[in-house]
Amino acid sequence: MKHQNLIIGVLIAVIAVAIGAVAYDIHARSAAVSSKTSQKTAAAETSKTETSQKTSAASDQSANQKTIVLDPGHSAVMPSGSEPVGPGAGENKAKDMVGTKGVATGVTEYDFMLSLANKLKPELEKRGYKVVLTRTDSQSAHSCTQRAQVANDNHADAFIRLHANAAESPAPNGAMTINITAHSPYTPSTYSQCRKLSDCVLNAYCSATGAKREGVVERDDLTGNNWAKVPTTLIEVGYMTNPDEDKRMQTDAYQAKMVQGIANGIDQFFKN
C-alpha cells in the first residue's frame, strides 16, 4: 500500500511539473505575441507620424510654390475686333496681331514662341514652379486681354510674355524687356514689381545668351501688360529681321541658353 502511494505521489508530481511547463509556455507565447503586437502598433504609429509629416511638408511646399504664367506671343488665328487698351480706357486696339517672321529661316514668331514656351515650362517645373501657358496651340485665337486674364485668374507670381522683335532695317539686334510706367493709368501699384521682374529677366537672359542688352522699355500702350494685375514683363528675345540673329535663335544650343537665361531671371526675381 505504501508502495502504491509512493507511485501515485510521483505521478502527481510529474503531472504538476508538466502542467507548470505548459502554463509557462503559454505565458511565454502570450508575452511574445503581446510584444510583437506592441512593436507593430508602435511601428504603425511611427509610420502614421512620418506620413503626416510628409503630407504636411508637401502641403507647405504647395502653399509656397510660385506660379509662373507664360504667354507665347501671337497665334496663327487672330481674334476679330478690338478691345480697350486698359481697364477703363477710351482707346481701343486690335485684340492681337499675327507677329513677325524670320527673314532667314521663315519661322513665324507665333510658332517660335510656342516652341520656346514648351521648352521653358519643364525647366521651370524642374526648379519647383507651377507653370501655366496662355495657349497650347497656334490654331486658336486669344486676345491680349484674355491672356492677361489667365495670369490674373491663376494669381500668377510672375507673368512672362514671350515675343521676338522686328525692325525695318536688318541691322538691329539684341534683347529688351517691356513693362508699364510708374505713372500707369491702369495698374500703377504693380510698377515696382514689374520693373524688378524686367531687370532680372533681361540681365540673366543677356548673361546666358550673350545677346546685346537693349534695355528695359517702359510704356503704357501694351494691352496685355495693362490688364495684368500681377508682376508682368514682356521680353523681346531677339530680332527675327536680323538674318544672323534669326538663324542663331533657331539652333537648339542657343535656345537652351535662352531657356536658362529666362529661368535664371525668374529665380533672381524671387531671391532679391
Side-chain angles (χ1 to χ4, degrees), residues 77-144:
V77 180
M78 291 293 98
S80 60
S82 61
E83 60 189 357
V85 71
E91 177 190 357
N92 279 22
K93 287 181 66 176
K95 290 184 177 180
D96 198 7
M97 293 182 290
V98 72
T100 190
K101 185 177 182 180
V103 293
T105 63
V107 175
T108 61
E109 182 183 358
Y110 59 78
D111 278 338
F112 179 22
M113 292 305 103
L114 183 58
S115 174
L116 183 62
N118 284 329
K119 291 182 179 181
L120 181 54
K121 183 176 186 288
E123 176 60 29
L124 291 172
E125 289 174 336
K126 186 174 70 175
R127 299 185 186 206
Y129 297 106
K130 175 186 176 182
V131 182
V132 178
L133 269 62
T134 60
R135 69 179 177 95
T136 56
D137 63 71
S138 295
Q139 302 307 313
S140 52
H142 305 270
S143 76
C144 291

Side-chain angles (χ1 to χ4, degrees), residues 246-262:
D246 176 36
K247 287 184 284 188
R248 182 164 57 253
M249 289 192 297
Q250 294 310 316
T251 64
D252 291 337
Y254 193 76
Q255 287 186 14
K257 294 178 181 179
M258 297 166 77
V259 166
Q260 290 298 314
I262 296 172

Side-chain angles (χ1 to χ4, degrees), residues 154-188:
N154 283 277
H155 306 288
D157 295 288
F159 181 31
I160 311 295
R161 306 184 64 207
L162 302 171
H163 285 259
N165 222 336
E168 294 182 2
S169 164
N173 67 93
M176 69 171 67
T177 49
I178 305 173
N179 58 252
I180 61 172
T181 71
H183 304 290
S184 164
Y186 310 113
T187 53

